[in-house]
Amino acid sequence: MVIRNLHRLSRLFQPVSVVPKNAEVKRHDITSKSQRLMLELGIIRQASPGCFHFLPLGVKSLEKLTRLVDEEMKKIGGQKIIFPTLTNAKLWEKTGRLETVSSELFQIKDRHDQSYILSPTHEEAASNLLASLAPISYKHLPLKLYQITSKYRDEMKPRFGLMRGKQFLMKDMYSFDTDLETAKHTYDEICKSYDRIFRRIGIDFVKVVGCSGHMGGELSHEYHYKADVGEDKILTCNKCNYSANTEVSGEEKCPNCGNTSVKIHLGIEVGHTFLLGEKYSKPLNATFLNNHGKPDVLQMGSYGLGLSRILAAVIEVMSSEQEIRWPQILSPYSVIILPPKSGSKEETHIKDSGLVDSLYEKIETTCNLQDNVLIDDRTNFTIGRRFLEAKKNGYPFIVTLGKKIVENPLLYEITNLKTNETLFLSENDLMNYLRSQLSSFSSDSDNK
Amino acid sequence: MVIRNLHRLSRLFQPVSVVPKNAEVKRHDITSKSQRLMLELGIIRQASPGCFHFLPLGVKSLEKLTRLVDEEMKKIGGQKIIFPTLTNAKLWEKTGRLETVSSELFQIKDRHDQSYILSPTHEEAASNLLASLAPISYKHLPLKLYQITSKYRDEMKPRFGLMRGKQFLMKDMYSFDTDLETAKHTYDEICKSYDRIFRRIGIDFVKVVGCSGHMGGELSHEYHYKADVGEDKILTCNKCNYSANTEVSGEEKCPNCGNTSVKIHLGIEVGHTFLLGEKYSKPLNATFLNNHGKPDVLQMGSYGLGLSRILAAVIEVMSSEQEIRWPQILSPYSVIILPPKSGSKEETHIKDSGLVDSLYEKIETTCNLQDNVLIDDRTNFTIGRRFLEAKKNGYPFIVTLGKKIVENPLLYEITNLKTNETLFLSENDLMNYLRSQLSSFSSDSDNK
């Protein structure tokens, strides 16, 4: 039963870290609710300003998000690769970005005095990869390459925990097309894929006309979660529903219909798509062979999703000050089981029956929740205390072995944190209930 | 059929890169067979000396190895975390390693002049994490934390492709125990887990008494694949079978039984385990609460597996000069299907029957090979040419739709690259054959 032990709360490495209210020195670093909750609940831990350890619950959630993104990238023909973190600084010199973004770049030299960048993004690397090949034929385009790796940025002032750190996990995709028209088609297809990802996460998001900033290019869109700690200002027109970053639109009126009745929200940018055209491919000479057999410059797109930032942002949006809430599809565990307090009547009743283990196995198996069920086996604590902790930790479904497990027929108490309902169900009904509640989040449910 | 397209060879991003024999300038960088084959077959690509792109086939293989390692780490209660890549240099100063290994360390400063290391390993980070917590109780030990992340080393002379690069993928685990005896028990358990991982990969390995080098500690073992490009010398005693790195034993006689009849081999180090004791936990003050409620220094172990190096090493050991071979469990695809040449009698016979697609689906489904079957749809090439390419790429099973698909009953030709046998089988027999050949590598086959 070694594997099972991993899923017993008493064995889980979840060092809670309650910062006393009067500990001014440490608290001033904590600049968002998600950061505080993730620290207090042992999901992340700060190593140094802007650098975080992901603890087991954080890794589990991040891996779920990674799988979700992999699935959606594959649906649109995305091919997964890995670019090295160290990019030759000369490539950034050629595109002019070494100068324009240099204050945020971590630069490093190897012992042979060669300069590298700890890449915050890989447009140069992707262009150079394509340029270094024998030019591929127009028949093999569009090409959509993506990776999920750590990125680096020398932030002046790291803040909001995972939302603005020195190291963060990104999904970045690079598309290559023959001309701007097909590149725009690819761009739209990838935007639709982003829509699906955000729909599956299940939190309201806004897609707005974006500010290309240091990236440049023809066209850009940003994906935002609305939140008070957001660092971007988003305009939405009350009349035509057009949305844009106010860096593009200004704050006065809708640039689409001219209407002056607009809403301004703060937003956390969680995704950004760019139709880049030749901005990187031309200086780096990334070409393909056109239908006349002649080399032609590739038309590029670039598409980023901030995976570690999404994690923090959804917690920021969904949680209360006291209790964390996860989107069901990203919750580290879907179900937690609370066995009775040791020495209680209920515990005596089920003692040696193997009830807890068999319930655990049944949920895992019949609800397709392998690795997703946790037992709070700290039975020296009361059920009540463990229930409050389970709620604070935001496990979507809490199954309590309460007073009704001594009754005949035996009933389990299940609390659904999303709907806030508590039901008393037989084992079969419990399985059916969980299955129906979970099914809308399964991997292929959203194939539209 | 968007998903399927990913698994059509004509769509796969696999830029081959044949280096002409007379291209002296480029060839001098290619110092091993695995490096050359992986470059020629579009599995990796060099970005700069010691830095590589992983292309789709490389990523697929790496992800299989990652899953295998995750499975085995979980079996022994390993909990997955992520340490940041940037480690505060002060921690390395405290343990003395900033000085001893400094020439290989990539060091970087942020804009506030704080020094960091691009971590090649995380003993300091792990110790500091434990030290920063309220000391955990002896009841929660042993603790086994692991991660799978990129590591960095400023190699004087990067070589052998993935085997000695500046960036590489490692699995590193850190164990924490109450005393040396239990720490030794944990050490043995993790070594057994490594044995299982290497047995499941299926290539002969040797476990030898290791050289602790810069790591220090009480005890160390290395895992090696024997290969001519190996940089370590391994002694094995012909009498008592004792094995050690010659850095420990010398090359003359067995340090265990004194026998002078010994074999010396070259080895590629693919794993290394260290029983460290207090070497890192003491200077960094990583403690726990003992059974008297008093703080005590944690006893550490450290366990590394070079994942990207394993990939290269198995290819080095298994391949011929001309043809790559993969361990079945790490092959990017398990099966490749070769449909008939367009315009051939065979193609005419099956035209519009959907035979290829239905065979693809049947293999995927009945053999549990999702994402593991590839169709070589470049039917402008002859079957013969595509068969030779499939062999060169080392797909373990090649299913050819050859002359016998026009016969009744229809027979498929299957070539097993491991056994070198070719069989003609009906669809049902083909499924049974594949299932039986693949079963020994399934995830839970080796639970001993």
Side-chain angles (χ1 to χ4, degrees), chain A residues 2 10-11 13 45 54 63 75 79-80 82 85 110-112 116 132 152 154 156 166-167, chain B residues 2 11 13 45 54 63 75 79-80 82 85 110-112 116 132 140 152 154 156 166-167:
Chain A
V2 178
S10 67
R11 305 299 304 167
F13 182 59
R45 219 173 155 87
F54 279 85
E63 290 193 337
K75 279 183 195 164
Q79 304 198 53
K80 199 170 186 179
I82 305 171
T85 295
D110 70 10
R111 56 166 97 192
H112 304 298
Y116 300 90
S132 76
Y152 300 86
D154 191 358
M156 184 65 185
K166 288 179 175 153
Q167 178 175 353
Chain B
V2 178
R11 304 301 303 168
F13 183 59
R45 219 173 155 89
F54 279 85
E63 290 194 337
K75 279 183 194 164
Q79 303 197 54
K80 197 170 188 180
I82 305 171
T85 296
D110 69 12
R111 56 166 98 192
H112 305 298
Y116 300 89
S132 76
H140 293 107
Y152 300 85
D154 190 359
M156 184 65 183
K166 288 179 175 154
Q167 176 174 353

Side-chain angles (χ1 to χ4, degrees), chain A residues 2 6 10-13 15 45 47-48 51-56 59 62-63 74-86 103-104 106-108 110-112 116 118 129 132-133 139-143 145 152 154-156 166-167 371, chain B residues 2 6 10-13 15 45 47-48 51-56 59 62-63 74-86 103-104 106-108 110-112 116 118 129 132-133 139-143 145 152 154-156 166-167 371:
Chain A
V2 178
L6 267 186
S10 67
R11 305 299 304 167
L12 182 71
F13 182 59
R45 219 173 155 87
S48 58
C51 296
F52 291 87
H53 305 288
F54 279 85
L55 304 182
V59 170
L62 212 47
E63 290 193 337
K74 277 175 190 158
K75 279 183 195 164
I76 55 166
Q79 304 198 53
K80 199 170 186 179
I81 64 170
I82 305 171
F83 296 112
T85 295
L86 302 170
S103 63
E104 289 188 344
F106 276 116
Q107 289 190 55
I108 202 164
D110 70 10
R111 56 166 97 192
H112 304 298
Y116 300 90
L118 294 196
L129 172 61
S132 76
L133 309 176
K139 291 179 202 161
H140 293 107
L141 300 176
L143 186 62
L145 303 176
Y152 300 86
D154 191 358
E155 287 289 349
M156 184 65 185
K166 288 179 175 153
Q167 178 175 353
D371 253 2
Chain B
V2 178
L6 267 186
S10 67
R11 304 301 303 168
L12 182 70
F13 183 59
R45 219 173 155 89
S48 57
C51 295
F52 291 88
H53 305 288
F54 279 85
L55 304 182
V59 170
L62 211 47
E63 290 194 337
K74 278 176 190 159
K75 279 183 194 164
I76 55 167
Q79 303 197 54
K80 197 170 188 180
I81 64 171
I82 305 171
F83 296 113
T85 296
L86 301 170
S103 63
E104 288 189 343
F106 276 117
Q107 289 190 54
I108 201 165
D110 69 12
R111 56 166 98 192
H112 305 298
Y116 300 89
L118 293 196
L129 172 62
S132 76
L133 309 176
K139 292 178 200 161
H140 293 107
L141 300 175
L143 186 62
L145 303 176
Y152 300 85
D154 190 359
E155 288 289 352
M156 184 65 183
K166 288 179 175 154
Q167 176 174 353
D371 252 0

Side-chain angles (χ1 to χ4, degrees), chain A residues 272-289:
Chain A
H272 206 150
T273 56
F274 301 89
L275 184 61
L276 296 170
E278 305 183 346
K279 181 165 163 61
Y280 298 89
S281 47
K282 195 163 186 181
L284 292 167
N285 203 25
T287 59
F288 68 102
L289 290 184

